[in-house]
Amino acid sequence: MTTRPIQAEKNLQKISQASEHGIGQSPLRPDGTLKVKGEFAYSSDLWHEDMLWGTALRSPHPRADILSVDVSGALAVPGVHAVLTHEDIPGAKFYGLEIADQPALAIDKVRYQGEPIALVAADHPETARRAAKRIVVEYEVLTPITTEEQCLDPQHHGYVHEPHEYKARAHGNLCHEQRLVAGRGVTDGVRALADVIVSGEYEVGMQDQAFLGPESGLAVPAEDGGVDLYIATQWLHVDRQQMAPVLALPEEKVRLTLAGVGGAFGGREDLSMQIHACLLALRTGRPVKIVYSRDESFFGHVHRHPARMRYEHGATRDGKLVFADCRIVLDGGAYASTSPAVAGNAASLGHGPYVIPNVAMHALALYSNNPPCGAMRGFGAVQAAFGYESQMDKLAAALGMDPVELRQLNAVAQGDLMPTGQQIDAPAPVAELLRRAKDRPLPPPLDPSDLRNLPGALSNTSHGEGIVRGVGYSVGIKNVGFSEGFDDYSTARVRLEVIGGEPVAMVHTAAAEVGQGGVTVHAQIARTELGVEHVAIHPANTEIGSAGSTSASRQTYMTGGAVKLAAEAVREVLLDRGRRRHGWTHRDLTLAGGRVVSASAGVLTSLAELLGDEAVEQTRVHRHRPTVALHPETGQGFGHVQYSFCANRAVVDVDVELGLVKVVELTAVQDVGRALNPLAVVGQIQGGCTQALGLAVMEEIVIADGKVRNASFTDYLIPTVLDTPPIPVELLELPDPHAPYGLRGVGEAPTVSATPSIVAAIRQATGKALTRIPVRPEHLTL
């Protein structure tokens, strides 16, 4: 077992055939300096000399029938070039990631506050907004369906979608459900085997991805009748797949190019303004730009599913888990988005990284008239982790055990079976992660003489009175890549040619760079495999095959794997050329430092000489090993390609009189398989922990009767640099034999595991049960 503390980066071992900027190193991001200096071009900076500006009229009601729409007032505004409703859509009316249940523009009803009804294109953004306000919509306002009880009782409260719409739904407002049964399930006989039983009900509020760059893009009509869209997104090809039928165009006439993305975290996996901009551009024959305002952004993308969970765990007196009985209810909001997959994840991961011989799980995703929910970092595992980790602390207290020891006693390891029946066939050092988190030195005691150290900071609310310190632990599990039989693949093209006398590699993929650092890692892989220093990254677009979504912690695994395959293919073509030209018979040929090298014979030639004027280009597709859909009733099956694990220790100070919390330190220990870029890996882990902190103590979209009450960064609070504590990170590198370079997806696991550790620390400090997140001051003082 090897570890790499973050402080040891200067001592990283260099890979022999790679440059100092190859895999295992930490070269700077090519876009980093531009972003820090404010010079990076984001999608909201796009410009075309004759472009129009687009906007949407959105429903103020979460549920209503549309009786009429009068656009004449908008058309009369000078400078308006087009006003569109659903009647102007040339093709399919509906789209969706998994279920085509969402109208591009509302037809006869609205199902959530903010649903788009009409579009306006004008020569100035303010003109477009003023014109949209002059559209008159007559509604019959209906009582929204917003609670679990209302959703599951459609006979009394109605349907969000009628049962005959889109696909058969025998259970009314149920979008998807997944059951899982392991061992004997949870029966009276199984319960009798447990000496101690604890139960709890837990709730997770609706979290927003809170990316800083709002939705934006530019659609340009093309001479061939198609359209070119420059867009900030997470998945170019699936965007196109949903857009083309609505636009009544073949996919080859809908061309997408990635524009600068100001963060994503799952919120850009669904369509937002893509179809709208293209409809307006095709109608007017002019380029159309749409940029959401911040409040519109809150209505324009999906959020993290709020959840209500019930858990019951039983254990023997010595702490061995006997059973887990779990129910997870996810509010998917008005449209399906990725709710089926999120519910599948919650079911298959909702027991945690523990060996539990008997499991009964029921996960449901519901339709409601609340805002649509879908992908967000952690994807169903975040909500479940708060439930099962709260249970582990409750069980440890009931047994009189150390909470870390209880977790270690029941931790999964390589060779164990998950409740789905899938064997863990790669390292799973859960107990070791916990040990390392616990063994790290604790931060120094509170120094109340410096007000900056106190909850409330410089607000002078306390000088140390009523402040209590707490320490909490947690560990989480997250799948990597797309699961349950999805054909998960990525395509990469690598070209090697001589430019200015030097060999230069060009890497072309459709992978969306959303801030995660893929452009850096893909260049590192090309340098390593081709032994060159100069690598260019081609803009991501739909001219090449799909790279899948930048989500599920999958891009380094999948697109990195494709770049590796393509670069290896280029290398083999070059070496074959050398063998034919020069009669090389060496079996130990490789590329390094811009040369062809043999360990036995030394340098044979330069790459520039071997290439000459003949560039070498290869395209490859990388697929991970196949998975299968989980059985709908038993949840059995090889559902996930890879698991990722992270353990956290949180140290908090709580002002128990005012209910203020300061996270003093948030340690993370994670197995990353192999760190291709250690600095970027640490950044991903620290970022994931920070988002988890937000969910623990401050972030929530407040919904009342289906309406959003805090659609701004004034009222929706996210952690700032002043809220973010030191986050020491320790990396384990235990290679996964099934993955390129042995790597393991990194970005989501700390978001899964860190929230429960913070809440556990607050519990220890206050003695409060704390069954709901985010924890609010009133939870600590009442």
Side-chain angles (χ1 to χ4, degrees):
M1 182 178 295
T2 62
T3 68
R4 177 174 291 159
I6 58 173
Q7 296 88 349
E9 186 195 342
K10 294 181 180 179
N11 299 320
L12 297 177
Q13 181 180 4
K14 288 186 171 60
I15 299 171
S16 59
Q17 77 267 30
S19 76
E20 63 180 8
H21 295 145
I23 64 169
Q25 311 299 312
S26 295
L28 296 179
R29 295 175 55 114
D31 55 351
T33 301
L34 292 173
K35 288 178 175 177
V36 170
K37 294 173 67 176
E39 297 174 355
F40 184 81
Y42 290 98
S43 57
S44 56
D45 297 314
L46 293 165
W47 189 266
H48 199 288
E49 59 183 9
D50 60 344
M51 73 182 185
L52 302 172
W53 294 81
T55 194
L57 174 72
R58 298 179 178 272
S59 168
H61 309 295
R63 187 186 184 200
D65 289 335
I66 297 175
L67 304 180
S68 65
V69 180
D70 182 359
V71 302
S72 59
L75 287 169
V77 175
V80 169
H81 290 254
V83 181
L84 307 181
T85 69
H86 75 91
E87 295 179 347
D88 300 296
I89 294 175
K93 301 282 190 177
F94 297 89
Y95 69 92
L97 275 172
E98 297 191 30
I99 301 172
D101 63 354
Q102 187 159 359
L105 292 170
I107 301 172
D108 57 353
K109 61 184 65 179
V110 290
R111 295 182 175 89
Y112 71 98
Q113 181 196 20
E115 181 154 12
I117 297 171
L119 306 174
V120 177
D123 53 16
H124 190 279
E126 187 57 35
T127 302
R129 287 190 286 268
R130 285 192 293 107
K133 291 178 180 178
R134 298 187 64 176
I135 299 172
V136 178
V137 183
E138 184 181 359
Y139 300 96
E140 181 181 346
V141 179
L142 305 173
T143 301
I145 303 166
T146 60
T147 69
E148 175 187 344
E149 292 75 18
Q150 291 170 341
C151 292
L152 295 177
D153 186 13
Q155 289 187 343
H156 289 91
H157 299 281
Y159 294 95
V160 178
H161 299 271
E162 294 300 321
H164 64 274
E165 292 182 290
Y166 320 120
K167 73 169 191 176
R169 294 190 182 90
H171 301 292
N173 293 319
L174 178 63
C175 177
H176 185 79
E177 66 178 334
Q178 176 66 60
R179 295 182 184 270
L180 186 152
V181 180
R184 295 162 55 188
V186 181
T187 63
D188 290 342
V190 168
R191 283 190 171 88
L193 300 175
D195 298 310
V196 176
I197 296 176
V198 298
S199 61
E201 294 187 0
Y202 306 96
E203 188 174 353
V204 178
M206 184 184 291
Q207 187 182 19
D208 188 65
Q209 294 86 352
F211 42 73
L212 299 186
E215 292 83 346
S216 53
L218 176 68
V220 182
E223 292 182 358
D224 65 356
V227 63
D228 293 284
L229 179 66
Y230 302 86
I231 183 67
T233 182
Q234 290 180 242
W235 196 347
L236 291 163
H237 285 76
V238 161
D239 281 6
R240 181 177 69 174
Q241 181 181 326
Q242 295 174 87
M243 293 166 58
V246 179
L247 302 175
L249 291 172
E251 287 192 6
E252 61 268 20
K253 287 194 175 183
V254 182
R255 296 168 288 266
L256 277 69
T257 298
L258 187 71
V261 182
F265 313 113
R268 300 186 199 268
E269 201 164 62
D270 293 76
L271 296 181
S272 57
M273 42 63 62
Q274 287 93 321
I275 290 174
H276 297 165
C278 291
L279 285 172
L280 290 170
L282 291 169
R283 169 59 67 93
T284 62
R286 299 264 296 273
V288 174
K289 178 178 177 177
I290 295 179
V291 180
Y292 285 1
S293 62
R294 178 56 59 189
D295 62 337
E296 188 176 17
S297 179
F298 272 92
F299 297 106
H301 65 256
V302 298
H303 314 287
R304 187 187 301 286
H305 292 74
R308 292 173 64 180
M309 301 172 287
R310 179 188 56 77
Y311 275 89
E312 186 179 55
H313 284 81
T316 61
R317 293 194 188 282
D318 61 1
K320 292 293 289 185
L321 290 171
V322 174
F323 72 85
D325 190 3
C326 325
R327 175 182 168 89
I328 300 174
V329 180
L330 302 160
D331 184 351
Y335 297 106
S337 182
T338 57
S339 287
V342 172
N345 255 25
S348 61
L349 304 174
H351 46 77
Y354 302 112
V355 177
I356 310 176
N358 304 289
V359 176
M361 166 68 75
H362 188 196
L364 307 91
L366 304 179
Y367 283 114
S368 74
N369 291 121
N370 291 318
C373 291
M376 185 174 174
R377 194 177 196 167
F379 203 78
V382 166
Q383 298 91 326
F386 176 61
Y388 64 69
E389 286 299 89
S390 296
Q391 284 287 102
M392 290 301 103
D393 285 338
K394 182 177 286 191
L395 186 58
L399 290 165
M401 289 185 67
D402 179 272
V404 172
E405 291 179 2
L406 175 67
R407 288 171 168 86
Q408 290 176 312
L409 177 66
N410 294 284
V412 295
Q414 187 169 359
D416 285 334
L417 293 181
M418 300 292 284
T420 59
Q422 178 173 341
Q423 185 178 46
I424 301 176
D425 55 2
V430 176
E432 175 69 8
L433 297 175
L434 285 161
R435 182 189 69 78
R436 290 171 179 267
K438 187 176 182 180
D439 287 351
R440 291 188 65 90
L442 286 164
L446 174 67
D447 176 11
S449 65
D450 187 341
L451 295 182
R452 292 173 298 180
N453 297 330
L454 303 180
L458 297 176
S459 57
N460 203 29
T461 57
S462 171
H463 290 265
E465 309 89 352
I467 294 178
V468 183
R469 174 158 291 187
V471 180
Y473 296 88
S474 64
V475 65
I477 181 172
K478 176 66 177 67
N479 64 310
V480 173
F482 296 147
S483 302
E484 293 198 49
F486 190 93
D487 184 16
D488 193 2
Y489 69 91
S490 184
T491 310
R493 180 178 299 130
V494 174
R495 178 182 178 89
L496 190 63
E497 61 186 320
V498 177
I499 299 177
E502 295 289 335
V504 178
M506 171 69 76
V507 177
H508 187 187
T509 77
E513 172 57 61
V514 301
Q516 83 281 12
V519 291
T520 312
V521 170
H522 298 161
Q524 289 180 256
I525 292 171
R527 291 189 188 104
T528 296
E529 300 301 332
L530 297 176
V532 299
E533 185 60 29
H534 302 293
V535 179
I537 303 296
H538 193 287
N541 56 32
T542 51
E543 292 179 2
I544 190 171
S546 177
S549 174
T550 299
S551 61
S553 305
R554 63 176 291 282
Q555 279 295 8
T556 301
Y557 191 125
M558 297 305 301
T559 303
V563 172
K564 181 175 185 289
L565 289 176
E568 289 172 339
V570 168
R571 184 178 66 215
E572 287 308 306
V573 169
L574 273 173
L575 295 179
D576 284 345
R577 179 184 294 180
R579 292 184 186 104
R580 293 194 308 270
R581 287 182 181 177
H582 305 293
W584 296 334
T585 59
H586 311 82
R587 296 188 177 183
D588 56 0
L589 295 177
T590 189
L591 308 181
R595 298 167 294 183
V596 180
V597 179
S598 164
S600 56
V603 175
L604 300 182
T605 189
S606 69
L607 280 178
E609 186 277 330
L610 188 58
L611 280 164
D613 295 330
E614 299 179 61
V616 177
E617 181 177 284
Q618 294 289 304
T619 302
R620 290 293 184 272
V621 175
H622 177 232
R623 281 180 165 85
H624 60 59
R625 54 187 176 152
T627 58
V628 299
L630 300 179
H631 189 280
E633 294 299 324
T634 67
Q636 299 299 294
F638 190 95
H640 300 304
V641 66
Q642 187 187 63
Y643 295 103
S644 180
F645 307 95
C646 182
N648 292 93
R649 183 190 68 196
V651 180
V652 304
D653 286 336
V654 183
D655 186 327
V656 295
E657 297 175 355
L658 297 177
L660 301 177
V661 176
K662 178 180 177 62
V663 182
V664 177
E665 184 180 89
L666 183 54
T667 296
V669 185
Q670 185 167 339
D671 173 25
V672 301
R674 183 174 183 184
L676 301 199
N677 185 311
L679 190 60
V681 166
V682 169
Q684 281 286 301
I685 294 171
Q686 291 176 331
C689 288
T690 303
Q691 280 192 310
L693 183 157
L695 179 59
V697 297
M698 63 180 70
E699 290 191 45
E700 181 177 9
I701 297 178
V702 178
I703 309 293
D705 296 324
K707 292 189 175 183
V708 177
R709 298 302 190 191
N710 58 335
S712 74
F713 282 169
T714 300
D715 301 306
Y716 181 90
L717 303 179
I718 59 176
T720 69
V721 67
L722 296 178
D723 301 299
T724 306
I727 305 177
V729 175
E730 187 172 345
L731 306 181
L732 273 68
E733 294 187 271
L734 306 179
D736 181 341
H738 310 286
Y741 301 114
L743 66 87
R744 193 183 303 274
V746 168
E748 292 175 286
T751 305
V752 173
S753 59
T755 296
S757 70
I758 296 170
V759 180
I762 301 172
R763 283 196 197 104
Q764 192 200 55
T766 64
K768 300 287 187 178
L770 302 181
T771 59
R772 189 189 191 280
I773 51 175
V775 176
R776 296 174 178 171
E778 59 264 31
H779 299 158
L780 303 176
T781 56
L782 296 178

